[in-house]
């Protein structure tokens, strides 16, 4: 027997285990509130627990969707002002003692929402990698980097700008028209660019396009440093990712620096 117009099973005739299996395969859709209502009328405690779990699932999804809308507010306002191609920019790797600084430039498709975007540092490795794949599939992405030798040559601030310029350049072939506005995470814009820019403090936590860029930059840099970990195992880059942990400092004192270490950073020996 089926239950109502939604073509649902007659839950009262299913075991708790069968109800659990059916609901575990459900996505948050319009029929879920009706399912919860039906399950709550069931006298079995196990079924009522399943209903409570579905309610929590709905609330979680609502929270995620509300956060996306909140983080899309700036881009929505800018689109209303006439900006059509808005690029989010962020970097990863300013602080480590080794490896490149990596930047990403991202243009999101407003018709292909990517829920769950946030500052990459707030996300688990698994979540970052899932979002990385979604962003690459649904958005336009450019990536740039500046090497450790360039960081030593220019300083980390200027090298970060170099990486960001390269990310924008890498993005251009993906676009049908030139960018109209760059939203740059932080309190400074990129020097010597003709395109209009806007610095956004805490942009990686507040603006979807910048959050997407932070995820692309972070995962890309992690993958680069993991490759270096195979080449220079003595520094345990796989664990510290080039940051100045006590273990990393001890390795520098024992082995000296590698070709990817930033010699201009105070704790790195020549």
């Amino acid at each position: 027997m089926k239950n109502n117009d939604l073509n649902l099973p007659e839950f009262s005739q299913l075991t708790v285990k069968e109800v659990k299996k059916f609901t575990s395969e459900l996505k948050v859709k319009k029929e879920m509130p009706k399912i919860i209502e039906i399950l709550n009328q069931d006298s079995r405690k196990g079924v009522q627990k399943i209903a409570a779990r579905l309610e929590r699932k709905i609330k979680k999804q609502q929270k995620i969707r509300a956060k996306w809308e909140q983080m899309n507010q700036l881009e929505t306002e800018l689109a209303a002002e006439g900006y059509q191609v808005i690029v989010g920019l962020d970097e990863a790797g300013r602080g480590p003692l080794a490896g490149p600084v990596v930047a990403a430039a991202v243009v999101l498709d407003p018709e292909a929402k990517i829920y769950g975007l946030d500052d990459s540092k707030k996300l688990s490795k698994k979540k970052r990698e899932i979002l990385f794949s979604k962003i690459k599939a649904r958005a336009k992405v450019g990536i740039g980097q500046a090497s450790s030798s360039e960081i030593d040559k220019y300083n980390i601030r200027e090298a970060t700008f170099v990486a960001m310029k390269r990310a924008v350049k890498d993005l251009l072939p993906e676009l049908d028209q030139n960018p109209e506005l760059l939203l740059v995470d932080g309190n400074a814009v990129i020097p010597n660019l003709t395109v209009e820019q806007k610095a956004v403090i805490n942009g990686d936590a507040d603006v979807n396009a910048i959050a997407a860029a932070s995820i692309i930059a972070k995962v890309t840099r992690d993958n680069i440093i993991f490759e270096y970990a195979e080449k220079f195992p003595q520094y345990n880059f796989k664990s510290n990712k080039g940051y100045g942990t006590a273990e990393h400092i001890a390795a520098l004192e024992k082995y000296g620096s590698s070709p990817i270490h930033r010699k201009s950073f105070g704790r790195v020996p020549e």
Side-chain angles (χ1 to χ4, degrees):
M1 294 178 64
K2 296 291 181 181
N3 197 332
N4 62 53
D5 297 334
L6 297 177
N7 201 35
L8 300 174
E10 189 65 53
F11 291 112
S12 62
Q13 296 183 7
L14 300 179
T15 65
V16 173
K17 186 176 181 180
E18 289 171 335
V19 174
K20 184 176 181 180
K21 183 178 185 303
F22 177 85
T23 57
S24 68
E25 298 169 354
L26 286 176
K27 295 187 180 297
V28 177
K29 295 181 178 179
K30 62 182 180 180
E31 66 264 25
M32 193 172 284
K34 181 62 178 178
I35 293 173
I36 292 171
E37 179 184 346
I38 296 169
L39 296 182
N40 275 325
Q41 294 171 358
D42 196 302
S43 61
R44 291 171 291 176
K45 294 295 184 183
V47 174
Q48 291 175 9
K49 286 182 179 180
I50 294 170
R53 190 180 304 119
L54 291 180
E55 286 179 337
R56 291 193 296 271
K57 187 174 182 179
I58 285 180
K59 288 179 180 178
K60 182 179 180 181
Q61 286 296 320
Q62 289 173 337
K63 185 177 180 180
I64 290 172
R65 291 171 184 266
K67 183 176 178 64
W68 191 94
E69 295 294 344
Q70 179 183 349
M71 290 177 63
N72 205 53
Q73 185 174 347
L74 176 59
E75 291 161 89
T76 299
E77 292 172 356
L78 290 169
E81 293 175 16
Y83 293 97
Q84 295 181 0
V85 185
I86 302 170
V87 180
L89 271 166
D90 200 8
E91 52 71 32
R94 287 182 65 122
L97 305 181
V101 59
V102 175
V106 175
V107 176
L108 295 176
D109 180 351
E111 301 302 320
K113 297 179 181 180
I114 304 172
Y115 293 113
L117 295 175
D118 205 342
D119 176 359
S120 62
K121 296 183 291 296
K122 297 180 180 179
L123 301 169
S124 67
K125 181 177 183 292
K126 180 179 179 181
K127 186 64 174 177
R128 281 197 302 267
E129 291 176 347
I130 291 171
L131 287 169
F132 177 88
S133 297
K134 289 182 178 180
I135 296 163
K136 294 278 282 187
R138 302 180 191 177
K140 306 296 185 183
V141 174
I143 298 171
Q145 61 176 288
S147 67
S148 53
S149 60
E150 288 176 312
I151 293 169
D152 289 338
K153 179 180 179 180
Y154 301 122
N155 73 49
I156 185 58
R157 175 184 170 87
E158 295 305 316
T160 298
F161 289 144
V162 168
M164 286 184 168
K165 288 178 182 177
R166 289 170 178 169
V168 173
K169 184 177 180 180
D170 188 55
L171 173 69
L172 293 180
E174 301 292 319
L175 305 177
D176 295 328
Q177 64 185 88
N178 288 331
E180 295 175 319
L181 180 65
L182 307 183
L183 299 178
V184 185
D185 184 57
N187 58 7
V189 296
I190 307 167
N192 303 318
L193 282 184
T194 56
V195 63
E196 185 177 350
Q197 302 179 65
K198 179 180 178 64
V200 185
I201 296 173
N202 295 325
D204 49 5
D206 295 336
V207 179
N208 281 323
I210 300 177
S214 80
I215 293 166
I216 293 293
K218 170 67 174 169
V219 174
T220 300
R221 187 184 186 280
D222 283 354
N223 290 337
I224 291 170
I225 207 72
F226 292 155
E227 290 181 9
Y228 283 131
E230 301 296 324
K231 191 173 182 179
F232 306 107
Q234 65 269 37
Y235 303 103
N236 196 14
F237 289 143
K238 192 166 186 178
S239 174
N240 60 53
K241 299 177 184 176
Y243 284 87
T245 62
E247 178 190 39
H248 190 181
I249 298 301
L252 282 168
E253 292 173 352
K254 182 176 181 179
Y255 301 107
S257 62
S258 73
I260 69 160
H261 275 96
R262 303 171 183 181
K263 310 301 191 296
S264 57
F265 279 40
R267 289 176 289 180
V268 178
E270 293 288 344

Short mmCIF file of all heavy atoms in Angstrom, two decimals, residues 144-201:
data_model
loop_
_atom_site.label_atom_id
_atom_site.label_comp_id
_atom_site.label_asym_id
_atom_site.label_seq_id
_atom_site.Cartn_x
_atom_site.Cartn_y
_atom_site.Cartn_z
N GLY A 144 47.49 30.44 -9.83
CA GLY A 144 48.83 30.97 -10.03
C GLY A 144 49.66 30.74 -8.78
O GLY A 144 49.11 30.55 -7.69
N GLN A 145 50.96 30.75 -8.92
CA GLN A 145 51.82 30.57 -7.76
C GLN A 145 53.09 31.38 -7.93
O GLN A 145 53.48 31.75 -9.04
CB GLN A 145 52.15 29.11 -7.52
CG GLN A 145 52.90 28.41 -8.63
CD GLN A 145 53.26 26.97 -8.28
OE1 GLN A 145 54.14 26.73 -7.46
NE2 GLN A 145 52.57 26.02 -8.90
N ALA A 146 53.72 31.67 -6.79
CA ALA A 146 55.05 32.28 -6.78
C ALA A 146 55.94 31.36 -5.96
O ALA A 146 55.57 30.93 -4.87
CB ALA A 146 55.00 33.68 -6.18
N SER A 147 57.10 31.04 -6.49
CA SER A 147 58.00 30.08 -5.87
C SER A 147 58.69 30.66 -4.63
O SER A 147 58.65 31.87 -4.38
CB SER A 147 59.06 29.65 -6.88
OG SER A 147 59.92 30.75 -7.17
N SER A 148 59.34 29.78 -3.89
CA SER A 148 60.08 30.22 -2.71
C SER A 148 61.19 31.19 -3.10
O SER A 148 61.47 32.16 -2.37
CB SER A 148 60.64 29.01 -1.96
OG SER A 148 61.40 28.19 -2.84
N SER A 149 61.85 30.97 -4.24
CA SER A 149 62.91 31.89 -4.68
C SER A 149 62.34 33.26 -5.03
O SER A 149 62.98 34.29 -4.78
CB SER A 149 63.67 31.30 -5.87
OG SER A 149 62.80 31.08 -6.96
N GLU A 150 61.12 33.28 -5.59
CA GLU A 150 60.48 34.58 -5.88
C GLU A 150 60.06 35.27 -4.59
O GLU A 150 60.12 36.51 -4.50
CB GLU A 150 59.27 34.35 -6.79
CG GLU A 150 59.66 33.99 -8.22
CD GLU A 150 58.47 33.68 -9.09
OE1 GLU A 150 57.59 32.89 -8.68
OE2 GLU A 150 58.39 34.23 -10.20
N ILE A 151 59.64 34.50 -3.60
CA ILE A 151 59.31 35.08 -2.30
C ILE A 151 60.56 35.73 -1.71
O ILE A 151 60.50 36.86 -1.18
CB ILE A 151 58.74 34.00 -1.36
CG1 ILE A 151 57.38 33.52 -1.87
CG2 ILE A 151 58.61 34.54 0.07
CD1 ILE A 151 56.85 32.28 -1.18
N ASP A 152 61.70 35.04 -1.81
CA ASP A 152 62.95 35.61 -1.30
C ASP A 152 63.34 36.86 -2.09
O ASP A 152 63.90 37.81 -1.53
CB ASP A 152 64.07 34.58 -1.40
CG ASP A 152 63.90 33.44 -0.40
OD1 ASP A 152 63.20 33.64 0.61
OD2 ASP A 152 64.46 32.36 -0.64
N LYS A 153 63.05 36.86 -3.37
CA LYS A 153 63.43 37.99 -4.22
C LYS A 153 62.56 39.22 -3.97
O LYS A 153 63.07 40.33 -3.85
CB LYS A 153 63.32 37.57 -5.69
CG LYS A 153 63.67 38.68 -6.68
CD LYS A 153 63.54 38.17 -8.11
CE LYS A 153 63.84 39.28 -9.12
NZ LYS A 153 63.71 38.79 -10.53
N TYR A 154 61.24 39.02 -3.87
CA TYR A 154 60.32 40.15 -3.80
C TYR A 154 59.86 40.50 -2.38
O TYR A 154 59.50 41.62 -2.11
CB TYR A 154 59.06 39.87 -4.64
CG TYR A 154 59.32 39.59 -6.09
CD1 TYR A 154 58.92 38.40 -6.68
CD2 TYR A 154 59.96 40.53 -6.89
CE1 TYR A 154 59.14 38.14 -8.03
CE2 TYR A 154 60.20 40.29 -8.24
CZ TYR A 154 59.79 39.09 -8.80
OH TYR A 154 60.02 38.83 -10.12
N ASN A 155 59.76 39.54 -1.51
CA ASN A 155 59.13 39.51 -0.18
C ASN A 155 57.76 38.86 -0.34
O ASN A 155 57.20 38.81 -1.44
CB ASN A 155 59.08 40.87 0.54
CG ASN A 155 58.06 41.86 -0.04
OD1 ASN A 155 56.90 41.52 -0.27
ND2 ASN A 155 58.51 43.09 -0.29
N ILE A 156 57.21 38.36 0.75
CA ILE A 156 56.00 37.54 0.67
C ILE A 156 54.80 38.34 0.18
O ILE A 156 53.97 37.83 -0.57
CB ILE A 156 55.70 36.85 2.02
CG1 ILE A 156 54.52 35.90 1.89
CG2 ILE A 156 55.49 37.87 3.12
CD1 ILE A 156 54.67 34.80 0.87
N ARG A 157 54.68 39.59 0.58
CA ARG A 157 53.54 40.40 0.15
C ARG A 157 53.54 40.57 -1.37
O ARG A 157 52.53 40.33 -2.03
CB ARG A 157 53.59 41.77 0.84
CG ARG A 157 52.52 42.76 0.38
CD ARG A 157 52.74 44.10 1.06
NE ARG A 157 51.91 45.16 0.49
CZ ARG A 157 50.67 45.43 0.88
NH1 ARG A 157 50.11 44.72 1.84
NH2 ARG A 157 49.99 46.40 0.32
N GLU A 158 54.70 40.98 -1.92
CA GLU A 158 54.77 41.20 -3.36
C GLU A 158 54.65 39.90 -4.13
O GLU A 158 54.04 39.85 -5.20
CB GLU A 158 56.08 41.91 -3.71
CG GLU A 158 56.21 43.32 -3.14
CD GLU A 158 55.04 44.21 -3.54
OE1 GLU A 158 54.65 44.18 -4.73
OE2 GLU A 158 54.53 44.93 -2.67
N ALA A 159 55.21 38.82 -3.57
CA ALA A 159 55.10 37.52 -4.23
C ALA A 159 53.65 37.04 -4.27
O ALA A 159 53.22 36.40 -5.24
CB ALA A 159 55.98 36.50 -3.52
N THR A 160 52.89 37.37 -3.22
CA THR A 160 51.47 37.03 -3.21
C THR A 160 50.74 37.73 -4.33
O THR A 160 49.90 37.14 -5.02
CB THR A 160 50.85 37.39 -1.85
OG1 THR A 160 51.48 36.63 -0.82
CG2 THR A 160 49.36 37.09 -1.84
N PHE A 161 51.06 39.00 -4.55
CA PHE A 161 50.44 39.74 -5.65
C PHE A 161 50.83 39.13 -7.00
O PHE A 161 50.02 39.07 -7.92
CB PHE A 161 50.86 41.22 -5.61
CG PHE A 161 50.25 41.99 -4.48
CD1 PHE A 161 50.96 42.98 -3.82
CD2 PHE A 161 48.94 41.75 -4.06
CE1 PHE A 161 50.39 43.71 -2.79
CE2 PHE A 161 48.36 42.47 -3.03
CZ PHE A 161 49.09 43.46 -2.38
N VAL A 162 52.09 38.68 -7.11
CA VAL A 162 52.53 38.01 -8.35
C VAL A 162 51.68 36.76 -8.60
O VAL A 162 51.21 36.52 -9.72
CB VAL A 162 54.03 37.64 -8.25
CG1 VAL A 162 54.42 36.69 -9.40
CG2 VAL A 162 54.90 38.89 -8.29
N ALA A 163 51.48 35.97 -7.55
CA ALA A 163 50.67 34.75 -7.69
C ALA A 163 49.25 35.09 -8.08
O ALA A 163 48.64 34.39 -8.91
CB ALA A 163 50.71 33.96 -6.38
N MET A 164 48.69 36.13 -7.50
CA MET A 164 47.31 36.53 -7.82
C MET A 164 47.19 37.00 -9.27
O MET A 164 46.22 36.66 -9.96
CB MET A 164 46.85 37.63 -6.87
CG MET A 164 46.54 37.13 -5.46
SD MET A 164 45.89 38.45 -4.40
CE MET A 164 45.31 37.49 -2.99
N LYS A 165 48.17 37.76 -9.74
CA LYS A 165 48.15 38.19 -11.14
C LYS A 165 48.20 36.98 -12.07
O LYS A 165 47.49 36.94 -13.10
CB LYS A 165 49.34 39.12 -11.42
CG LYS A 165 49.23 40.50 -10.79
CD LYS A 165 50.47 41.33 -11.07
CE LYS A 165 50.40 42.70 -10.42
NZ LYS A 165 51.63 43.49 -10.64
N ARG A 166 49.00 36.01 -11.72
CA ARG A 166 49.10 34.80 -12.54
C ARG A 166 47.79 34.01 -12.50
O ARG A 166 47.41 33.40 -13.51
CB ARG A 166 50.27 33.95 -12.05
CG ARG A 166 51.63 34.56 -12.38
CD ARG A 166 52.78 33.85 -11.71
NE ARG A 166 54.06 34.45 -12.08
CZ ARG A 166 55.23 34.19 -11.50
NH1 ARG A 166 55.26 33.32 -10.48
NH2 ARG A 166 56.33 34.77 -11.91
N ALA A 167 47.12 34.01 -11.36
CA ALA A 167 45.83 33.31 -11.27
C ALA A 167 44.80 33.97 -12.17
O ALA A 167 44.04 33.30 -12.88
CB ALA A 167 45.34 33.30 -9.82
N VAL A 168 44.77 35.31 -12.18
CA VAL A 168 43.84 36.03 -13.06
C VAL A 168 44.17 35.75 -14.52
O VAL A 168 43.27 35.50 -15.34
CB VAL A 168 43.89 37.55 -12.77
CG1 VAL A 168 43.05 38.31 -13.79
CG2 VAL A 168 43.39 37.84 -11.35
N LYS A 169 45.44 35.77 -14.86
CA LYS A 169 45.86 35.48 -16.24
C LYS A 169 45.45 34.08 -16.64
O LYS A 169 45.00 33.84 -17.77
CB LYS A 169 47.37 35.66 -16.37
CG LYS A 169 47.89 35.48 -17.80
CD LYS A 169 49.39 35.75 -17.87
CE LYS A 169 49.89 35.57 -19.30
NZ LYS A 169 51.36 35.83 -19.38
N ASP A 170 45.59 33.13 -15.71
CA ASP A 170 45.22 31.73 -15.99
C ASP A 170 43.72 31.59 -16.17
O ASP A 170 43.25 30.69 -16.88
CB ASP A 170 45.71 30.85 -14.83
CG ASP A 170 45.54 29.36 -15.12
OD1 ASP A 170 46.06 28.90 -16.15
OD2 ASP A 170 44.90 28.67 -14.30
N LEU A 171 42.96 32.46 -15.52
CA LEU A 171 41.49 32.42 -15.60
C LEU A 171 40.96 32.94 -16.94
O LEU A 171 39.94 32.46 -17.44
CB LEU A 171 40.90 33.25 -14.45
CG LEU A 171 39.39 33.47 -14.45
CD1 LEU A 171 38.64 32.17 -14.17
CD2 LEU A 171 39.02 34.53 -13.39
N LEU A 172 41.64 33.92 -17.51
CA LEU A 172 41.11 34.64 -18.67
C LEU A 172 40.64 33.75 -19.82
O LEU A 172 39.57 33.99 -20.39
CB LEU A 172 42.14 35.65 -19.17
CG LEU A 172 42.45 36.81 -18.22
CD1 LEU A 172 43.50 37.73 -18.84
CD2 LEU A 172 41.19 37.59 -17.88
N PRO A 173 41.39 32.71 -20.21
CA PRO A 173 40.92 31.86 -21.32
C PRO A 173 39.61 31.14 -21.03
O PRO A 173 38.94 30.68 -21.97
CB PRO A 173 42.07 30.85 -21.50
CG PRO A 173 43.27 31.52 -20.92
CD PRO A 173 42.75 32.31 -19.78
N GLU A 174 39.24 31.03 -19.75
CA GLU A 174 38.00 30.35 -19.37
C GLU A 174 36.78 31.25 -19.54
O GLU A 174 35.64 30.77 -19.52
CB GLU A 174 38.08 29.90 -17.91
CG GLU A 174 39.23 28.95 -17.60
CD GLU A 174 39.04 27.61 -18.26
OE1 GLU A 174 37.90 27.10 -18.27
OE2 GLU A 174 40.04 27.07 -18.79
N LEU A 175 37.01 32.56 -19.69
CA LEU A 175 35.91 33.52 -19.69
C LEU A 175 35.54 33.96 -21.09
O LEU A 175 36.38 34.02 -21.99
CB LEU A 175 36.31 34.75 -18.85
CG LEU A 175 36.75 34.49 -17.41
CD1 LEU A 175 37.17 35.81 -16.75
CD2 LEU A 175 35.64 33.82 -16.61
N ASP A 176 34.27 34.31 -21.24
CA ASP A 176 33.78 34.83 -22.52
C ASP A 176 34.06 36.33 -22.65
O ASP A 176 34.04 36.87 -23.76
CB ASP A 176 32.28 34.58 -22.65
CG ASP A 176 31.95 33.09 -22.72
OD1 ASP A 176 32.78 32.33 -23.26
OD2 ASP A 176 30.88 32.69 -22.21
N GLN A 177 34.27 37.00 -21.53
CA GLN A 177 34.61 38.42 -21.54
C GLN A 177 35.53 38.71 -20.37
O GLN A 177 35.64 37.91 -19.44
CB GLN A 177 33.35 39.29 -21.45
CG GLN A 177 32.56 39.13 -20.14
CD GLN A 177 31.27 39.92 -20.15
OE1 GLN A 177 30.24 39.42 -20.59
NE2 GLN A 177 31.33 41.15 -19.67
N ASN A 178 36.21 39.84 -20.43
CA ASN A 178 37.18 40.17 -19.39
C ASN A 178 36.49 40.42 -18.05
O ASN A 178 35.33 40.85 -18.00
CB ASN A 178 37.98 41.41 -19.79
CG ASN A 178 38.96 41.12 -20.90
OD1 ASN A 178 39.45 39.99 -21.03
ND2 ASN A 178 39.26 42.13 -21.70
N PRO A 179 37.19 40.17 -16.95
CA PRO A 179 36.62 40.45 -15.63
C PRO A 179 36.27 41.93 -15.48
O PRO A 179 36.98 42.80 -16.01
CB PRO A 179 37.75 40.06 -14.67
CG PRO A 179 38.62 39.14 -15.44
CD PRO A 179 38.53 39.57 -16.87
N GLU A 180 35.19 42.18 -14.78
CA GLU A 180 34.78 43.56 -14.54
C GLU A 180 35.12 44.02 -13.12
O GLU A 180 35.23 45.22 -12.86
CB GLU A 180 33.26 43.70 -14.76
CG GLU A 180 32.88 43.47 -16.20
CD GLU A 180 31.38 43.49 -16.42
OE1 GLU A 180 30.65 42.94 -15.57
OE2 GLU A 180 30.94 44.06 -17.42
N LEU A 181 35.30 43.06 -12.22
CA LEU A 181 35.62 43.41 -10.84
C LEU A 181 36.33 42.24 -10.16
O LEU A 181 35.89 41.10 -10.28
CB LEU A 181 34.34 43.75 -10.06
CG LEU A 181 34.53 44.14 -8.59
CD1 LEU A 181 35.32 45.44 -8.46
CD2 LEU A 181 33.18 44.28 -7.89
N LEU A 182 37.41 42.54 -9.46
CA LEU A 182 38.11 41.55 -8.65
C LEU A 182 37.80 41.80 -7.18
O LEU A 182 37.99 42.92 -6.69
CB LEU A 182 39.63 41.63 -8.86
CG LEU A 182 40.17 41.57 -10.28
CD1 LEU A 182 41.70 41.61 -10.25
CD2 LEU A 182 39.68 40.33 -11.00
N LEU A 183 37.32 40.79 -6.50
CA LEU A 183 37.11 40.85 -5.05
C LEU A 183 38.29 40.14 -4.40
O LEU A 183 38.42 38.92 -4.48
CB LEU A 183 35.79 40.17 -4.66
CG LEU A 183 34.52 40.77 -5.26
CD1 LEU A 183 33.29 39.97 -4.82
CD2 LEU A 183 34.36 42.23 -4.86
N VAL A 184 39.16 40.92 -3.76
CA VAL A 184 40.42 40.40 -3.23
C VAL A 184 40.32 40.24 -1.72
O VAL A 184 39.99 41.19 -1.01
CB VAL A 184 41.59 41.35 -3.58
CG1 VAL A 184 42.91 40.74 -3.13
CG2 VAL A 184 41.61 41.65 -5.07
N ASP A 185 40.60 39.06 -1.24
CA ASP A 185 40.56 38.83 0.20
C ASP A 185 41.64 39.65 0.90
O ASP A 185 42.79 39.69 0.46
CB ASP A 185 40.77 37.35 0.51
CG ASP A 185 40.64 37.06 2.00
OD1 ASP A 185 39.59 37.36 2.56
OD2 ASP A 185 41.61 36.54 2.59
N GLY A 186 41.26 40.31 2.01
CA GLY A 186 42.24 41.08 2.77
C GLY A 186 41.97 42.56 2.71
O GLY A 186 40.87 43.01 2.37
N ASN A 187 43.00 43.34 3.02
CA ASN A 187 42.83 44.79 3.11
C ASN A 187 43.59 45.55 2.03
O ASN A 187 43.76 46.77 2.14
CB ASN A 187 43.28 45.28 4.49
CG ASN A 187 44.73 44.92 4.80
OD1 ASN A 187 45.44 44.42 3.93
ND2 ASN A 187 45.16 45.18 6.02
N ALA A 188 44.07 44.87 1.01
CA ALA A 188 44.81 45.53 -0.06
C ALA A 188 44.46 44.94 -1.41
O ALA A 188 44.17 43.74 -1.53
CB ALA A 188 46.32 45.40 0.19
N VAL A 189 44.49 45.79 -2.44
CA VAL A 189 44.25 45.32 -3.80
C VAL A 189 45.59 45.09 -4.49
O VAL A 189 46.65 45.49 -4.00
CB VAL A 189 43.40 46.33 -4.60
CG1 VAL A 189 42.02 46.45 -3.98
CG2 VAL A 189 44.09 47.69 -4.69
N ILE A 190 45.53 44.44 -5.64
CA ILE A 190 46.74 44.08 -6.39
C ILE A 190 47.24 45.30 -7.16
O ILE A 190 46.48 45.91 -7.92
CB ILE A 190 46.43 42.94 -7.37
CG1 ILE A 190 45.78 41.76 -6.63
CG2 ILE A 190 47.69 42.49 -8.09
CD1 ILE A 190 45.16 40.74 -7.55
N PRO A 191 48.50 45.69 -6.97
CA PRO A 191 49.00 46.87 -7.69
C PRO A 191 49.19 46.61 -9.18
O PRO A 191 49.36 45.48 -9.62
CB PRO A 191 50.35 47.13 -7.01
CG PRO A 191 50.77 45.81 -6.45
CD PRO A 191 49.50 45.10 -6.08
N ASN A 192 49.10 47.69 -9.95
CA ASN A 192 49.41 47.70 -11.38
C ASN A 192 48.49 46.80 -12.20
O ASN A 192 48.92 46.12 -13.13
CB ASN A 192 50.88 47.27 -11.61
CG ASN A 192 51.86 48.17 -10.86
OD1 ASN A 192 51.69 49.39 -10.84
ND2 ASN A 192 52.86 47.56 -10.24
N LEU A 193 47.22 46.80 -11.85
CA LEU A 193 46.20 46.14 -12.67
C LEU A 193 45.18 47.18 -13.09
O LEU A 193 44.79 48.04 -12.31
CB LEU A 193 45.50 45.02 -11.88
CG LEU A 193 46.22 43.69 -11.71
CD1 LEU A 193 45.30 42.70 -11.00
CD2 LEU A 193 46.66 43.11 -13.04
N THR A 194 44.73 47.08 -14.34
CA THR A 194 43.77 48.07 -14.84
C THR A 194 42.33 47.71 -14.46
O THR A 194 41.47 48.58 -14.42
CB THR A 194 43.87 48.19 -16.37
OG1 THR A 194 43.67 46.89 -16.95
CG2 THR A 194 45.24 48.71 -16.78
N VAL A 195 42.05 46.45 -14.19
CA VAL A 195 40.69 46.05 -13.85
C VAL A 195 40.31 46.58 -12.46
O VAL A 195 41.16 46.70 -11.57
CB VAL A 195 40.55 44.51 -13.89
CG1 VAL A 195 41.45 43.84 -12.86
CG2 VAL A 195 39.11 44.08 -13.69
N GLU A 196 39.06 46.93 -12.29
CA GLU A 196 38.58 47.44 -11.01
C GLU A 196 38.68 46.37 -9.94
O GLU A 196 38.44 45.18 -10.20
CB GLU A 196 37.12 47.90 -11.16
CG GLU A 196 36.57 48.57 -9.89
CD GLU A 196 35.15 49.07 -10.06
OE1 GLU A 196 34.65 49.09 -11.21
OE2 GLU A 196 34.53 49.45 -9.05
N GLN A 197 39.04 46.79 -8.72
CA GLN A 197 39.21 45.85 -7.62
C GLN A 197 38.54 46.38 -6.35
O GLN A 197 38.36 47.57 -6.18
CB GLN A 197 40.70 45.63 -7.31
CG GLN A 197 41.52 45.11 -8.47
CD GLN A 197 42.98 44.96 -8.06
OE1 GLN A 197 43.32 44.15 -7.20
NE2 GLN A 197 43.84 45.75 -8.69
N LYS A 198 38.24 45.43 -5.47
CA LYS A 198 37.69 45.76 -4.16
C LYS A 198 38.29 44.82 -3.13
O LYS A 198 38.20 43.59 -3.29
CB LYS A 198 36.16 45.64 -4.15
CG LYS A 198 35.50 45.95 -2.80
CD LYS A 198 33.99 45.79 -2.90
CE LYS A 198 33.31 46.04 -1.55
NZ LYS A 198 33.48 47.42 -1.08
N ALA A 199 38.95 45.36 -2.12
CA ALA A 199 39.49 44.53 -1.04
C ALA A 199 38.37 44.22 -0.05
O ALA A 199 37.58 45.09 0.31
CB ALA A 199 40.63 45.26 -0.32
N VAL A 200 38.30 42.97 0.37
CA VAL A 200 37.24 42.53 1.29
C VAL A 200 37.88 41.83 2.48
O VAL A 200 38.38 40.70 2.37
CB VAL A 200 36.25 41.57 0.61
CG1 VAL A 200 35.10 41.24 1.56
CG2 VAL A 200 35.71 42.17 -0.69
N ILE A 201 37.90 42.50 3.62
CA ILE A 201 38.45 41.90 4.83
C ILE A 201 37.57 40.73 5.27
O ILE A 201 36.35 40.82 5.26
CB ILE A 201 38.55 42.95 5.95
CG1 ILE A 201 39.53 44.06 5.54
CG2 ILE A 201 39.00 42.31 7.26
CD1 ILE A 201 39.59 45.22 6.50
#
